[in-house]
Amino acid sequence: MLKLRIEGKESEINRFIENIHCDESVEVNSISDLYPNRKSIYSRCYLEIELIDDERPGEDDD
Protein backbone atom coordinates (compact mmCIF):
# COMPACT_ATOMS: atom_id res chain seq x y z
CA MET A 1 0.00 0.00 0.00
CA LEU A 2 1.14 3.53 -0.76
CA LYS A 3 0.09 6.68 1.07
CA LEU A 4 0.29 9.78 -1.09
CA ARG A 5 0.00 13.47 -0.39
CA ILE A 6 -0.98 15.45 -3.46
CA GLU A 7 -0.58 19.20 -3.48
CA GLY A 8 -1.65 21.62 -6.19
CA LYS A 9 -4.53 23.67 -7.48
CA GLU A 10 -7.93 22.16 -6.74
CA SER A 11 -8.67 21.62 -10.44
CA GLU A 12 -5.34 19.80 -10.93
CA ILE A 13 -5.96 17.54 -7.93
CA ASN A 14 -9.45 16.67 -9.19
CA ARG A 15 -8.08 15.87 -12.65
CA PHE A 16 -5.38 13.63 -11.14
CA ILE A 17 -7.97 11.77 -9.05
CA GLU A 18 -10.15 11.21 -12.13
CA ASN A 19 -7.15 9.85 -14.03
CA ILE A 20 -5.99 7.54 -11.26
CA HIS A 21 -9.45 5.95 -11.10
CA CYS A 22 -9.12 5.07 -14.81
CA ASP A 23 -5.76 3.35 -14.31
CA GLU A 24 -6.42 -0.39 -14.04
CA SER A 25 -3.02 -0.98 -12.43
CA VAL A 26 -3.99 1.12 -9.38
CA GLU A 27 -6.61 0.34 -6.75
CA VAL A 28 -7.70 3.42 -4.81
CA ASN A 29 -8.49 2.52 -1.19
CA SER A 30 -9.29 5.99 0.15
CA ILE A 31 -9.24 9.65 -0.77
CA SER A 32 -9.41 12.43 1.80
CA ASP A 33 -11.22 15.72 1.46
CA LEU A 34 -9.34 18.67 0.01
CA TYR A 35 -7.56 20.80 2.58
CA PRO A 36 -6.67 24.37 1.56
CA ASN A 37 -3.13 25.46 2.41
CA ARG A 38 -2.90 28.65 4.45
CA LYS A 39 -1.98 31.80 2.57
CA SER A 40 -1.74 29.88 -0.71
CA ILE A 41 -3.78 29.10 -3.79
CA TYR A 42 -2.92 25.41 -3.36
CA SER A 43 -4.74 22.61 -1.59
CA ARG A 44 -3.71 19.12 -0.56
CA CYS A 45 -5.32 15.73 -0.59
CA TYR A 46 -4.30 12.36 0.83
CA LEU A 47 -4.73 9.02 -0.94
CA GLU A 48 -4.14 5.40 -0.05
CA ILE A 49 -3.58 3.22 -3.10
CA GLU A 50 -2.35 -0.22 -4.03
CA LEU A 51 -0.45 -1.08 -7.18
CA ILE A 52 -1.91 -4.06 -8.98
CA ASP A 53 0.39 -6.09 -11.17
CA ASP A 54 0.87 -9.64 -12.27
CA GLU A 55 2.80 -11.24 -9.46
CA ARG A 56 5.64 -13.33 -10.76
CA PRO A 57 6.68 -16.46 -8.89
CA GLY A 58 9.60 -15.89 -6.58
CA GLU A 59 9.11 -12.13 -6.17
CA ASP A 60 8.55 -10.64 -2.74
CA ASP A 61 6.09 -7.87 -1.83
CA ASP A 62 8.77 -5.40 -0.73
Side-chain angles (χ1 to χ4, degrees), residues 2 14 17 20 27 34 37 43 49 51-52 54 57-58:
L2 296 170
N14 288 329
I17 290 171
I20 202 166
E27 181 178 334
L34 286 175
N37 290 343
S43 297
I49 66 169
L51 301 178
I52 300 170
D54 297 330

Side-chain angles (χ1 to χ4, degrees), residues 26-43:
V26 177
E27 181 178 334
V28 179
N29 294 332
S30 67
I31 301 172
S32 74
D33 293 331
L34 286 175
Y35 300 101
N37 290 343
R38 295 182 191 152
K39 300 179 183 179
S40 174
I41 62 171
Y42 300 109
S43 297

Side-chain angles (χ1 to χ4, degrees), residues 12-30:
E12 294 171 324
I13 292 172
N14 288 329
R15 191 169 67 207
F16 176 81
I17 290 171
E18 287 176 18
N19 288 336
I20 202 166
H21 277 295
C22 295
D23 188 339
E24 294 180 6
S25 67
V26 177
E27 181 178 334
V28 179
N29 294 332
S30 67

